[in-house]
Amino acid sequence: MKSADQLGSATIGQGMNRMSGFLKFGSFLALLFFPALAMAAGGAETQAMSVEYRDVPGIGSRNLIWIVAQQHLLLAGFVLGVPIFAWVCEVVGWKTKEPRYDKLAKEFTKLLTSAYATTALFGGILLFLLIGLYPKLMAYLTDMFFPSFLVYCLLFLLETATLYMYWYGWDYMQGNKKTFHLFLGFLLNLFALGIMAVPNSWATFQASPVVLGEGDAWARAWMAMQNPTWMPVNIHRLIANVVLGGFIVGAYAGIRYLLAVSREEREHYDWMGYVGNFIGVFGMLPLPFAGYWLMREVYQYNQQMGITLMGGFLAWLFILQAMLIGVLFLGANYYFWMGITYRIPGSENQYKKPVMAMLIVLLLCLGIWMTPHSLVASLAEAQKMGGTHHPLLGVFGVMSAKMTVSNIMILVTFMSFIMYWRAGKQETAGWAKAAKAIMGGLLVIAGIAVVVLGVWGYFVPAIIRINYFSVAQVLIVLFIMITFTPLTAVLMKSAKTTTEMVWGKMPIRAGYSLVLNAVMVILLMSLMGYARSSSRVHWHIYGVMRDTSEYAYSPALGYAAAFMSLNTFVFCLIVAFIFWVATLGDKAKAQPPRGSTVGIPGHSAPAMAGGAPRAGEKLE
Amino acid sequence: MAKQSFAKSILKKTTVGIVVGVILVVAAQATHFPPVFQIMFFLYAMLGSLVFILLDAPPMNRLEGVKAVGALVVFYLLLSGLYIAGASILPQFDPEDEKGKIEKVLKLRRAQTELGKADELIARAKQLDERAKAITKQLSSLGADAKVEVASTTSAAGGGAASGDLVALGKEQWELQECYNCHKLYGQGGKKRGPEMDNIGNLMTFEQLKEKIIDPKSWKAEGFDKDYEKGKMPDKYKDLMFPQEIDALVAFLVTLKDTSVNTPKPIKMN
């Protein structure tokens, strides 16, 4: 099924066991206490199996699986991303004694209970559909991974129990018990990590199966799990889930901001949008590195698969990906720049020129990122051009150029944040001037070093470039981020506020830019799911089990894009429903009376707070 | 006043965007970029100018209630429409190509009669081979060494219709099973995981090659100890391929006798 397993298999894994907790608990007990019975039944079933595929009239089995699997995957990303977001907010609230962070964390944890059930519901539907529509593949995977199913069930039980304690114990575990509550949040994320990693192994095995050695069922399942793309996908998805969580929170805040009728609401959702965007952006910064590692593993595992993705029939997909990422970077930076203009009045003139320069750099980088290595051209066009590599722009198509521009885009985005942080403040420390000069110097050196390494990369063997130059570029950017953040924090601690942060004054296009960022992330996740599944071409399990169904071929890009848009729309509707249901109870509560204190994060709050008005400050 | 100034800003930035776009298109035409890229360059310049315009745009009036929701839906539809249009404008691969390849792969499995054909070809090839050997032996006994080669060449040519088909089928299997991912041949393909194959026909017999494909642990290529230990060559082919397909692949491999390529020496392992 490039078909089912196509997009589905990306999620076969995750879908497989996301039945309701109750059903799983029953299955788990049955398997635990009657293993012999379960195995025997499995054996008989395999023998009796004669149907390889079933179809669904009209929509087709692949399309149905595609929709359900995509919904399940996106919801799973949401359910795994939001706890990270909530926990980070809770930790920040605990450290800074800012109650609004705790409130924000609780507000989003509340969503988890309904989102969790919806995710499990789609997981259950996906599982039933896969068993029914692709029985042969499912029998094979079950045979290979059965022990990991048990581990998955156990993790799901632990996750469910921890979530209940985390959510229902929120108010109870305040004060002295707060640290235990934070520990529960940590456990929640730890189990969630396992819940993500185990099914990832099923899906990645389909793309990069390994030759299994001798051993019992557990040993063989473990060998199959440790396939070459498992860990890169784990890391990539973990980071992507943080990004998804952050930007969905941002989009929620953006929509509520657009619909807000009172000033208090606007202030609250403006701030929430800022926090969501902040976390989304910070998750986004290391994402290209993780993607690079994944592609490197793909190439090392199977050169043909890498070529299919980057230079074969899917090559244009990466142009589309570059556009989406470019728009996402532009959207995220734009939101920061608007924050400088509208939340910190008077700062816009100070930063107008740097903003213009940053925008030009971002656009140039985007242009290079979307330049393909070999241009898809007809024979006549290629002859005119002198080959499939363009004589001038062909140099931008290689990884050396891509890595360089992605690092620069990350640097620019980081600097947008630093600018936002510093806007409206005057440093008072005696060493501030020297510190700023050092930071400026370091930034210039870092920029030059990244470009020099990128250019030098053309003249050294690929192995040197990949193992040393690309790593050095990443380390340079990380060094800037790691040194600038605490240095700026120390500078801002003693800084004098020249312009107070004003919340709720952002123009409505700020709300739309938050929605845009979320849509871009969802489309990106859908696109990458399509890429990863299509890279297996007509295999259920690459090189091992062929897809012999009528849907074995890869759908064309335009058709796939329409499906991705549909999936994104459906997902947004589901999330909107979840938010609506979860906030039904709040609607009954009265709005805070005018003149009451609001818990907007304080002046001394960390970067994430965005330098808000002092806590307890009265709103007029 | 603000509106007038914004209108001026739009006009100015749009003009700059168009000028930059046109310059890009002309440059792209001059350097023979395919038309789709010329369009992309222009759209790229317009995207830049849109962001510049939005940077200075004055705040719009707030929408409320249904209007606000409607605006959001329109915004999503706009994004969606741009995305689908963008993906559709890009050159599309034709799924029919892949369908053709799949059909080729599955042909044997779907039509058992094809198997009979392969069987017949193998039998004929073996028969001709034995006949050639017999003639060679006969000529040798007569002391006509010089003619042996001619005889065996004639024999091979005589069997061309049959063994040639088999070799072609084998070459097709080389492509379909994607052996080139790990083995270099005719200067193409990978060679990190497996040896170059150009001279394998001089180093291994039909039966030995067949054994290696069915049981990868049975032979090791000299210098590939680590890959052998790691089991880089998959043991899936005995399950994945019909015996006739393996025979055809082997029949192709034994024809590879390019001594100018240093194919590593095979070592029998078990």
Side-chain angles (χ1 to χ4, degrees):
Chain A
M1 69 195 128
K2 153 77 147 331
S3 30
D5 107 69
Q6 159 115 283
L7 299 119
S9 71
T11 48
I12 269 172
Q14 291 182 332
M16 224 158 203
N17 282 306
R18 293 221 179 114
M19 298 188 295
S20 73
F22 180 76
L23 192 60
K24 273 200 208 143
F25 184 58
S27 311
F28 180 62
L29 287 182
L31 293 169
L32 208 61
F33 294 112
F34 307 105
L37 182 67
M39 296 290 188
E45 194 179 81
T46 309
Q47 279 177 10
M49 184 103 50
S50 58
V51 179
E52 288 188 18
Y53 303 102
R54 292 186 185 89
D55 200 5
V56 181
I59 188 169
S61 57
R62 171 167 70 180
N63 288 345
L64 185 60
I65 290 285
W66 190 347
I67 293 170
V68 176
Q70 192 66 68
Q71 294 309 318
H72 174 64
L73 246 188
L74 290 168
L75 281 163
F78 177 72
V79 164
L80 299 179
V82 166
I84 299 173
F85 174 89
W87 189 69
V88 169
C89 284
E90 193 188 4
V91 170
V92 172
W94 173 63
K95 289 297 285 180
T96 61
K97 317 278 183 216
E98 287 293 340
R100 182 164 270 210
Y101 280 106
D102 198 70
K103 194 183 157 199
L104 182 68
K106 191 180 171 190
E107 196 172 340
F108 280 94
T109 304
K110 182 169 64 180
L111 294 174
L112 281 179
T113 47
S114 50
Y116 201 64
T118 314
T119 310
L121 174 71
F122 272 93
I125 295 170
L126 177 63
L127 177 61
F128 290 133
L129 287 177
L130 285 172
I131 291 172
L133 301 175
Y134 295 92
K136 186 184 165 192
L137 170 68
M138 294 306 287
Y140 183 93
L141 288 173
T142 305
D143 192 42
M144 181 79 65
F145 285 105
F146 182 70
S148 70
F149 292 4
L150 301 180
V151 174
Y152 186 80
C153 291
L154 181 64
L155 283 169
F156 217 96
L157 281 170
L158 292 170
E159 171 82 352
T160 309
T162 314
L163 175 63
Y164 286 160
M165 285 193 288
Y166 187 65
W167 165 240
Y168 289 107
W170 199 291
D171 293 330
Y172 174 71
M173 290 182 224
Q174 293 292 330
N176 291 338
K177 298 187 184 82
K178 189 65 177 171
T179 46
F180 182 68
H181 192 258
L182 288 169
F183 176 65
L184 282 179
F186 170 75
L187 279 184
L188 184 71
N189 283 297
L190 190 68
F191 295 140
L193 188 65
I195 284 179
M196 181 197 72
V198 174
N200 275 352
S201 71
W202 310 333
T204 52
F205 179 81
Q206 286 186 271
S208 54
V210 285
V211 179
L212 301 184
E214 295 300 317
D216 60 15
W218 286 88
R220 286 173 66 81
W222 178 234
M223 279 185 264
M225 286 177 77
Q226 290 174 292
N227 61 75
T229 55
W230 183 42
M231 210 37 81
V233 165
N234 281 339
I235 300 297
H236 199 273
R237 279 202 171 151
L238 175 67
I239 301 172
N241 287 343
V242 176
V243 177
L244 181 75
F247 281 129
I248 285 201
V249 169
Y252 168 72
I255 292 170
R256 292 299 298 260
Y257 182 77
L258 292 173
L259 302 177
V261 287
S262 70
R263 195 172 61 115
E264 285 79 8
E265 271 186 306
R266 278 201 292 275
E267 285 167 349
H268 177 68
Y269 291 114
D270 186 14
W271 173 75
M272 189 192 283
Y274 172 76
V275 177
N277 188 60
F278 178 91
I279 290 182
V281 167
F282 261 74
M284 196 169 75
L285 297 184
L287 206 52
F289 306 143
Y292 179 72
W293 180 31
L294 175 58
M295 274 316 294
R296 201 180 115 176
E297 289 299 319
V298 167
Y299 263 97
Q300 283 187 349
Y301 173 74
N302 189 310
Q303 196 180 19
Q304 184 57 38
M305 187 183 270
I307 292 168
T308 301
L309 276 164
M310 303 296 283
F313 75 90
L314 293 171
W316 282 98
L317 179 151
F318 282 87
I319 310 267
L320 208 56
Q321 184 218 27
M323 284 301 289
L324 290 176
I325 293 176
V327 172
L328 188 58
F329 267 103
L330 285 171
N333 278 284
Y334 182 69
Y335 187 78
F336 274 129
W337 299 335
M338 274 204 298
I340 291 174
T341 306
Y342 291 94
R343 289 194 191 119
I344 315 158
S347 299
E348 67 271 25
N349 291 331
Q350 187 187 348
Y351 291 106
K352 197 165 186 174
K353 279 183 183 168
V355 164
M356 285 289 179
M358 288 162 112
L359 179 53
I360 290 169
V361 171
L362 280 178
L363 285 168
L364 287 176
C365 288
L366 170 60
I368 294 173
W369 198 339
M370 59 187 256
T371 304
H373 183 217
S374 46
L375 308 184
V376 180
S378 67
L379 196 61
E381 286 169 344
Q383 277 169 351
K384 255 187 174 181
M385 208 161 52
T388 53
H389 296 58
H390 193 272
L392 291 178
L393 292 191
V395 291
F396 294 148
V398 296
M399 281 316 287
S400 198
K402 311 279 184 213
M403 274 302 282
T404 304
V405 295
S406 64
N407 276 297
I408 292 174
M409 285 172 96
I410 289 166
L411 262 183
V412 168
T413 307
F414 178 71
M415 288 317 296
S416 284
F417 159 70
I418 293 288
M419 260 167 41
Y420 178 89
W421 198 359
R422 282 164 49 167
K425 294 179 193 74
Q426 179 70 51
E427 296 87 358
T428 55
W431 48 275
K433 214 169 185 178
K436 279 164 73 177
I438 290 171
M439 281 199 278
L442 280 176
L443 186 66
V444 172
I445 291 169
I448 292 171
V450 167
V451 174
V452 166
L453 283 170
V455 176
W456 196 357
Y458 287 96
F459 306 102
V460 295
I463 195 76
I464 304 277
R465 189 186 70 239
I466 293 166
N467 287 346
Y468 300 106
F469 285 20
S470 298
V471 175
Q473 285 177 314
V474 171
L475 289 177
I476 287 168
V477 174
L478 286 178
F479 171 76
I480 291 291
M481 288 160 70
I482 289 167
T483 50
F484 277 34
T485 305
L487 201 56
T488 310
V490 176
L491 270 177
M492 290 303 106
K493 207 166 185 180
S494 60
K496 187 175 74 184
T497 301
T498 53
T499 314
E500 283 292 352
M501 187 80 73
V502 184
W503 295 97
K505 296 286 182 192
M506 290 280 262
I508 61 168
R509 62 177 186 275
Y512 285 110
S513 72
L514 289 171
V515 174
L516 171 87
N517 290 347
V519 170
M520 289 299 116
V521 168
I522 299 165
L523 283 175
L524 259 175
M525 289 178 80
S526 308
L527 183 72
M528 289 300 98
Y530 164 77
R532 209 177 48 71
S533 301
S534 295
S535 67
R536 277 182 281 116
V537 285
H538 48 275
W539 296 91
H540 286 311
I541 298 165
Y542 195 70
V544 176
M545 184 189 279
R546 283 187 200 282
D547 182 353
T548 56
S549 74
E550 60 179 304
Y551 303 115
Y553 64 94
S554 305
L557 196 54
Y559 176 88
F563 240 93
M564 289 170 215
S565 295
L566 172 73
N567 276 327
T568 303
F569 188 67
V570 173
F571 174 67
C572 290
L573 286 182
I574 293 171
V575 171
F577 177 74
I578 290 169
F579 276 107
W580 178 70
V581 168
T583 53
L584 268 180
D586 300 343
K587 294 187 193 304
K589 292 177 188 169
Q591 296 287 340
R594 217 169 168 74
S596 66
T597 56
V598 291
I600 292 175
H603 177 62
S604 59
M608 212 168 94
R614 289 178 180 81
E617 183 182 348
K618 289 208 172 193
L619 294 168
E620 298 305 318
Chain B
M1 196 64 188
K3 273 185 183 174
Q4 268 185 346
S5 144
F6 182 54
K8 272 186 189 171
S9 163
I10 290 178
L11 194 67
K12 186 178 153 192
K13 285 168 185 170
T14 309
T15 311
V16 172
I18 291 171
V19 169
V20 172
V22 169
I23 291 171
L24 287 176
V25 169
V26 171
Q29 271 176 352
T31 51
H32 307 297
F33 271 99
V36 66
F37 283 91
Q38 298 167 23
I39 298 169
M40 275 176 62
F41 286 144
F42 187 78
L43 292 177
Y44 168 68
M46 296 317 292
L47 171 73
S49 103
L50 176 71
V51 183
F52 274 105
I53 289 168
L54 284 174
L55 212 54
D56 291 339
M60 287 162 60
N61 293 331
R62 294 187 74 85
L63 297 172
E64 286 182 2
V66 181
K67 278 185 184 172
V69 175
L72 266 171
V73 174
V74 169
F75 181 64
Y76 177 77
L77 291 177
L78 183 72
L79 288 180
S80 217
L82 284 171
Y83 179 64
I84 296 169
S88 304
I89 286 170
L90 294 174
Q92 306 289 302
F93 62 87
D94 187 359
E96 292 303 320
D97 293 345
E98 199 182 355
K99 280 182 189 172
K101 189 177 177 185
I102 295 164
E103 189 52 41
K104 208 180 270 182
V105 170
L106 299 180
K107 203 165 60 181
L108 279 179
R109 287 147 186 83
R110 284 183 180 150
Q112 290 295 314
T113 50
E114 291 293 320
L115 289 177
K117 191 180 165 190
D119 276 335
E120 188 187 318
L121 288 169
I122 292 161
R124 278 183 66 187
K126 281 186 176 169
Q127 203 178 17
L128 287 165
D129 195 37
E130 278 169 17
R131 203 178 141 196
K133 278 178 187 165
I135 292 169
T136 309
K137 201 175 171 186
Q138 200 180 357
L139 286 169
S140 297
S141 67
L142 292 172
D145 285 351
K147 288 185 180 176
V148 171
E149 236 176 87
V150 178
S152 78
T153 312
T154 313
S155 157
S163 60
D165 284 354
L166 190 65
V167 169
L169 279 176
K171 195 175 179 190
E172 194 173 275
Q173 284 303 317
W174 174 269
E175 300 288 334
L176 291 173
Q177 303 302 334
E178 298 174 354
C179 309
Y180 52 77
N181 271 324
C182 304
H183 298 285
K184 200 170 187 177
L185 180 64
Y186 307 138
Q188 290 177 334
K191 61 170 184 177
K192 284 181 186 168
R193 285 175 291 262
E196 285 185 76
M197 300 299 277
D198 296 72
N199 194 32
I200 196 69
N202 280 322
L203 301 174
M204 293 180 89
T205 65
F206 185 97
E207 290 306 326
Q208 288 169 340
L209 273 165
K210 190 171 174 178
E211 187 186 16
K212 170 70 182 174
I213 292 169
I214 292 170
D215 175 16
K217 286 283 179 186
S218 60
W219 290 83
K220 180 174 81 174
E222 198 175 49
F224 282 80
D225 305 71
K226 273 188 183 174
D227 303 274
Y228 178 82
E229 292 303 323
K230 284 183 181 173
K232 284 279 175 77
M233 171 128 179
D235 61 352
K236 65 188 180 187
Y237 297 107
K238 62 181 185 300
D239 305 318
L240 206 62
M241 298 168 75
F242 282 121
Q244 292 81 0
E245 290 174 328
I246 295 178
D247 284 339
L249 177 60
V250 174
F252 165 64
L253 293 174
V254 292
T255 66
L256 303 173
K257 294 181 178 179
D258 182 353
T259 50
S260 67
V261 175
N262 186 23
T263 297
K265 190 181 152 194
I267 302 164
K268 177 70 179 155
M269 297 305 287
N270 50 42

